[in-house]
Structures are given as C-alpha cells and as structure tokens.
Amino acid sequence: MKKTTIASMLLLALATNVQAAGKLSLYHWFEYIPQELLDKFSKEYDVEVTMDTYDSNEALLASLKAGKLGSYDLAVPGDYMVKIMKGEGMLDTFKPEELSNFGNIEKQWLDVPFDPGRKSSIPYQWGTTSFSVNRDVYKGPADSLSIIFDPPQALKGKINVLDTAGETLTLASLYLGIPQCSTDKSQLKALSKLVNKAKKDWASFGSDVAKDVLVSGDAAAGMIWSGFSAKARNEGANIEYIFPKEGYLVWMDNVVLLKDAPNRENALKFMNFLLEPENAAAVTNFAQYSAGVKGTEPYLTDAVKNSPESHPPKGSKGVFVQACDQKVQEMYDAIWTRLKK
C-alpha cells in the first residue's frame, strides 16, 4: 500500500510538472497585442498563455512591489521603467544565444542605455506620446503643449490627460523648459503650480480611455500615445496628432524577463517568437506603433506604413523620459500625489 501511494504521488508530481511546463504568464499593457498572435504561439508551442493587464508603468511597478513578482514570467515596461525595475532587482538575465532570433533586433535598439547589450529585455514596440485635437471642435493653432497646460477657451473642460506620472510631468517640464529630474525647488514649485492650475481645465485622467473619449466626443483634446491616436482616427474621430514645438516623448516598450519567472523556458520561447519579423509586424499592425525588429516592412499594412502619427516632422524634438534617483523621484511623486487628490 505504501509503495502504491508513493508511486501515485510521483505520478502526480510528474503530471503537475508537465502541466506547469506548458504555461506562460504575461503582465502586459491593455489593448496592445492581438489575441490571434497569442493563440498562434499557444498552438505552435503547446503552451497555455494567460495575461493580466495594467495601464501605466507606475501601476506595473506598484503591483510587482506589492507581491506579484514571481507570479508572472514576462512584463512589458517602458524604457525608463526597465532601468528602475533593474535597480529594484526585479529582472532576470539571459544570454543572446538563448534566443535564436536575437540577431533580428535593429541596431539602434540593441545597446540601449536602460539595458546595455539587452541582457534582460528585447524591444517590443516604440512610438511617441503627445496630444491630439478634434478639428471639428477646435480649428485654431495647436503646435504647443499649451493646448494641455494652458488651453484655449474652446477646449477648457474637454481635455483628457494620461494617468501616468512619468509622461504627464515630463511633458509639463518640456512646456516650462525645465530639465527632467530637477532638484531646483523653484522649478519643482513651478511644475506643481502649472499642473494643478491646469487641472481645472481637464475633464478626466484616463489612460485606458484615451482613445475612446476622443472617438465618442467626450474629450475634444487629450494626451495620447501615437498608436492610440491612429486608432481613434481610423475609428472616425476627426483628430490631428500634434508634434509640439516644445517637444514630445519618444519611448520604447520592452519585453522583460522577470525575476523568479515560474516558466522561464517558455518565457524565452515567447521572446524569441516576438523577434520573428512576421510576429513583430502583427503587433505593429494591431497597435499601430513601430517594431524594433528587422524585416517587418513586407508584413505591414499600408495604413501603418503611411500613418502620420509615425512620421514626426524634420527638426521636431523627441525626448525619452528619464529615470530619476530615488530621492528626486520622491519629490515628483509628491507633486503627482497632490495633483491626483
């Protein structure tokens, strides 16, 4: 009887291990990957894929800090958040030879400052963050971030702002002409004053609704990611995506291998899968950004290739959000907390 019990336990353990080997757990931005692509991977590798979503880099970090680290295999943070997560000890590393498609990464996205040599991440999609204006509502000049932070009368009370501290405060800093991660008290005071004064002219804070409120007409202008703006335009909103004279944000989202990933082998398989040009293009066609992978162009739709949101004018200024030192970040967090009250 004892031998039978031990044998049964061994069989159960083996079955459990086999089941665990066929899983992959993603922590991903909302509305950012086509279900068909997840189904394709699942079918090709006989892996059950589950996915939870978040709506900002800060929400991702907070969730992992609150105990979710070890629950997911992969996440998709922005450039500056990769650096923060690495500093927090949240990322695992891999060797290039563990990904047969590692050579498909475009050169400009290979040796990046937030993950030199790509030891913990691969490029996912890149784009810009700025704002869009409904041209049925407002036909005036819109070449400045004043549309968001000191709006004309026609747009007051009709503006949506992304619920992301890093992007919102960086755009506000560009408008004021002050450096990111400033420690100058007068500059920080001016930044706080600007956003709190502007708040009365905003209708809402919302990242996951940034597209929908422009399509529905609930907002006539709003901070938005370039791909979301393209989607809103394609859904019928008469909007123009602006590359303001003060500057706009450039970002690269990245797939990172998380520390204590429960399905590390499958995580690497999925990362390698996303580096296939056809698969990377499938994400681009869905999300309407740009991939950091060679050879995607033959698979892209004409709408994506010709999207005005993906073609900043010559001479325009795009900047990356910087990861501030912890003490400096605490000052910016205080500004954001006050703004959200």
Side-chain angles (χ1 to χ4, degrees), residues 190-213:
L191 179 62
S192 182
K193 182 179 179 180
L194 174 70
V195 293
N196 279 282
K197 182 181 178 182
K199 181 182 177 181
K200 71 180 188 303
D201 295 324
W202 298 341
S204 55
F205 280 99
S207 298
D208 54 351
V209 299
K211 170 178 67 71
D212 297 335
V213 293

Side-chain angles (χ1 to χ4, degrees), residues 77-86 91 114-115 254 256:
D79 40 83
Y80 72 96
M81 190 53 64
V82 174
K83 184 176 180 179
I84 291 172
M85 290 171 69
K86 182 176 286 191
L91 304 184
F114 53 86
D115 185 20
N254 311 268
V256 295

Side-chain angles (χ1 to χ4, degrees), residues 128-135 137-138 142 144-145 147-148 155 158-162 171 210-211 213-215 219-233 237-244 308-309:
T128 63
T129 305
S130 182
F131 65 89
S132 289
V133 177
N134 186 316
R135 285 310 197 177
V137 175
Y138 178 71
S144 170
L145 286 165
I147 292 292
I148 301 298
L155 294 175
K158 302 175 183 177
I159 297 169
N160 181 66
V161 174
L162 292 177
L171 284 177
K211 170 178 67 71
V213 293
L214 288 173
V215 173
M223 281 179 56
I224 197 166
W225 301 297
S226 52
F228 248 32
S229 179
K231 283 189 172 186
R233 182 172 48 77
N238 184 22
I239 58 172
E240 180 183 359
Y241 185 73
I242 307 297
F243 294 95
E309 288 85 357

Side-chain angles (χ1 to χ4, degrees), residues 28-267:
H28 205 289
W29 287 88
F30 66 94
E31 199 175 329
Y32 201 9
I33 190 168
Q35 182 62 44
E36 294 81 6
L37 192 63
L38 297 178
D39 293 342
K40 178 182 178 182
F41 174 79
S42 184
K43 183 177 180 180
E44 285 187 12
Y45 292 94
D46 194 23
V47 169
E48 179 187 347
V49 180
T50 58
M51 183 173 71
D52 291 334
T53 62
Y54 51 86
D55 63 1
S56 73
N57 281 297
E58 290 74 21
L60 160 65
L61 181 65
S63 180
L64 294 178
K65 279 188 171 184
K68 290 293 187 178
L69 192 65
S71 301
Y72 300 107
D73 301 303
L74 299 170
V76 190
D79 40 83
Y80 72 96
M81 190 53 64
V82 174
K83 184 176 180 179
I84 291 172
M85 290 171 69
K86 182 176 286 191
E88 294 278 351
M90 294 181 171
L91 304 184
D92 194 0
T93 60
F94 58 85
K95 296 179 180 179
E97 51 266 31
E98 292 185 83
L99 302 177
S100 60
N101 291 324
F102 190 84
N104 289 344
I105 298 175
E106 289 183 343
K107 186 177 180 180
Q108 72 182 101
W109 299 116
L110 184 58
D111 197 24
V112 289
F114 53 86
D115 185 20
R118 290 289 183 181
K119 296 177 181 177
S120 297
S121 70
I122 61 167
Y124 186 63
Q125 297 282 298
W126 69 273
T128 63
T129 305
S130 182
F131 65 89
S132 289
V133 177
N134 186 316
R135 285 310 197 177
D136 291 332
V137 175
Y138 178 71
K139 296 179 170 61
D143 64 342
S144 170
L145 286 165
S146 63
I147 292 292
I148 301 298
F149 300 108
D150 187 17
Q153 189 62 42
L155 294 175
K156 288 186 176 183
K158 302 175 183 177
I159 297 169
N160 181 66
V161 174
L162 292 177
D163 192 6
T164 62
E167 290 177 300
T168 298
L169 294 181
T170 300
L171 284 177
S173 296
L174 285 174
Y175 179 59
L176 288 175
I178 64 176
Q180 294 187 55
C181 299
S182 174
T183 58
D184 185 292
K185 290 184 179 180
S186 63
Q187 292 180 342
L188 293 172
K189 185 177 180 180
L191 179 62
S192 182
K193 182 179 179 180
L194 174 70
V195 293
N196 279 282
K197 182 181 178 182
K199 181 182 177 181
K200 71 180 188 303
D201 295 324
W202 298 341
S204 55
F205 280 99
S207 298
D208 54 351
V209 299
K211 170 178 67 71
D212 297 335
V213 293
L214 288 173
V215 173
S216 67
D218 290 334
M223 281 179 56
I224 197 166
W225 301 297
S226 52
F228 248 32
S229 179
K231 283 189 172 186
R233 182 172 48 77
N234 292 336
E235 290 178 23
N238 184 22
I239 58 172
E240 180 183 359
Y241 185 73
I242 307 297
F243 294 95
K245 60 186 179 183
E246 299 92 349
Y248 52 90
L249 304 183
V250 179
W251 47 262
M252 160 62 78
D253 282 337
N254 311 268
V255 181
V256 295
L257 181 62
L258 292 171
K259 182 181 178 181
D260 299 328
N263 305 286
R264 186 179 188 276
E265 184 178 344
N266 287 335

